Amino acid sequence: MKIVDAHHHIWDPGPNPHPWLTVTPIPFRYGDYSALRQPFLWADYDRALEGWEIMASVTMEGEWDPSDPLGEARWLLAEDDRPAAHVAQALLDAPDLDAVLEAYAAMPRVRSVRHKPRSNNAPGGPPGGMTDAAFIAGFRQLAARGLHFELQAPWWHLDEAVALAGAADTMIVLNHAGLPADRSNEGLAAWRAAMARLAAVEQVRVKISGLGLAGGGWDPVTNRDVIRTVIDLFGANRCMFASNYPVDSLCAGFGTIWSEFDAATQDLTLTERSALFHGTAIETYRLEGLT
């Protein structure tokens, strides 16, 4: 299948301000991420994907210093004709959000923004950041700028995403399949139930990506279950595959990731597979000229 890689990063943490890559290590869902604390540029991406036909790709903000939210998009989009589209950083509760969104609206390849909301480390606990009035108000500003919202949150906060979707007619793209890190029967059942409730919201799309496990593990058996569950719940025309490189290089090679996407969907129709590998991403990110 031809591929639109719907979620990957390009960064250069030497000259550029990525605090988590240069200054202060953070708790990370894959554990030790020291291998990521180096440049990952287009030449590195091209080496990773060698042998795979990538039509286009979508870059994701990489936790650039939030005091300069526009800096990453300006750097990334300045010289190369890639990416085909970019997801930029925007803190929805920031006092300067209006000016930031205006600047992004003037950047033709910025299609959406991401703000990871405050969340709990495990099910239960207080409400997360998607319930904050300022966050909701910021979310309501996106549609007027032609932007949609990228959500990265664990599955136990997805009911808050259902409520957030009711605040505005703005597309929400859930990153990394809702983060089903607990692969026990009970954990997968709870994740599936939360995803089913979110699937009832038509304006939601899902990136099937980020399927690694704590400590850099990779489980092809439960990964296949996750892939097929997401497709069953949302339908192929609302799902897209993505590498999450270089982050997921901590768990698997580029070829392994895409080979498993391929193997897990061999029995689907050509129309369904085309949507998963490129069609949904083309529609979501308005990638004119790609078929």
Side-chain angles (χ1 to χ4, degrees), residues 215-233:
W218 187 263
D219 183 354
V221 175
T222 59
N223 281 353
R224 186 190 187 282
D225 292 341
V226 167
I227 292 166
R228 292 307 295 257
T229 296
V230 176
I231 296 169
D232 289 345
L233 291 174

Side-chain angles (χ1 to χ4, degrees), residues 12-234:
D12 191 356
N16 293 328
H18 294 274
W20 73 291
L21 293 173
T22 57
V23 182
T24 307
I26 61 171
F28 195 65
R29 63 195 180 96
Y30 290 161
D32 177 16
Y33 67 92
S34 56
L36 301 180
R37 303 182 75 173
Q38 59 184 325
F40 188 80
L41 303 173
W42 286 110
D44 303 299
Y45 181 70
D46 290 342
R47 280 191 291 272
L49 61 81
E50 186 174 358
W52 294 84
E53 185 175 1
I54 306 296
M55 305 166 67
S57 70
V58 178
T59 48
M60 170 59 66
E61 63 92 14
E63 306 287 339
W64 188 280
D65 184 347
S67 68
D68 177 26
L70 297 170
E72 183 173 34
R74 287 171 171 159
W75 169 74
L76 187 59
L77 303 175
E79 298 180 1
D80 207 297
D81 60 356
R82 297 186 291 178
H86 178 61
V87 179
Q89 180 193 108
L91 302 183
L92 298 187
D93 53 3
D96 63 345
L97 177 66
D98 187 70
V100 170
L101 296 183
E102 281 295 310
Y104 287 147
M107 299 181 187
R109 284 183 282 167
V110 174
R111 297 288 196 268
S112 58
V113 299
R114 183 169 76 166
H115 175 179
K116 295 179 182 177
R118 186 185 71 256
S119 62
N120 301 318
N121 293 328
M130 283 182 278
T131 64
D132 294 345
F135 192 101
I136 296 168
F139 175 76
R140 288 182 173 135
Q141 293 189 49
L142 298 180
R145 276 37 177 263
L147 300 167
H148 65 257
F149 180 58
E150 306 267 337
L151 171 63
Q152 183 166 328
W155 58 261
W156 48 87
H157 286 285
L158 293 186
D159 286 336
E160 296 171 21
V162 173
L164 179 69
D169 187 19
T170 299
M171 183 187 296
I172 296 173
V173 178
L174 180 66
N175 293 181
H176 306 329
L179 300 173
D182 179 359
R183 300 295 174 85
S184 67
N185 290 338
E186 296 78 9
L188 286 173
W191 163 77
R192 188 190 191 285
M195 291 288 282
R197 293 190 292 271
L198 187 64
V201 181
E202 276 297 318
Q203 70 211 62
V204 175
R205 305 287 184 272
V206 182
K207 289 178 180 175
I208 302 176
S209 57
L211 301 182
L213 300 173
W218 187 263
D219 183 354
V221 175
T222 59
N223 281 353
R224 186 190 187 282
D225 292 341
V226 167
I227 292 166
R228 292 307 295 257
T229 296
V230 176
I231 296 169
D232 289 345
L233 291 174
F234 288 84

Side-chain angles (χ1 to χ4, degrees), residues 227-259:
I227 292 166
R228 292 307 295 257
T229 296
V230 176
I231 296 169
D232 289 345
L233 291 174
F234 288 84
N237 65 339
R238 294 169 63 197
C239 299
M240 62 195 99
F241 290 144
S243 71
N244 192 33
Y245 245 61
V247 175
D248 274 26
S249 69
L250 297 175
C251 304
F254 193 91
T256 296
I257 292 168
W258 288 97
S259 293

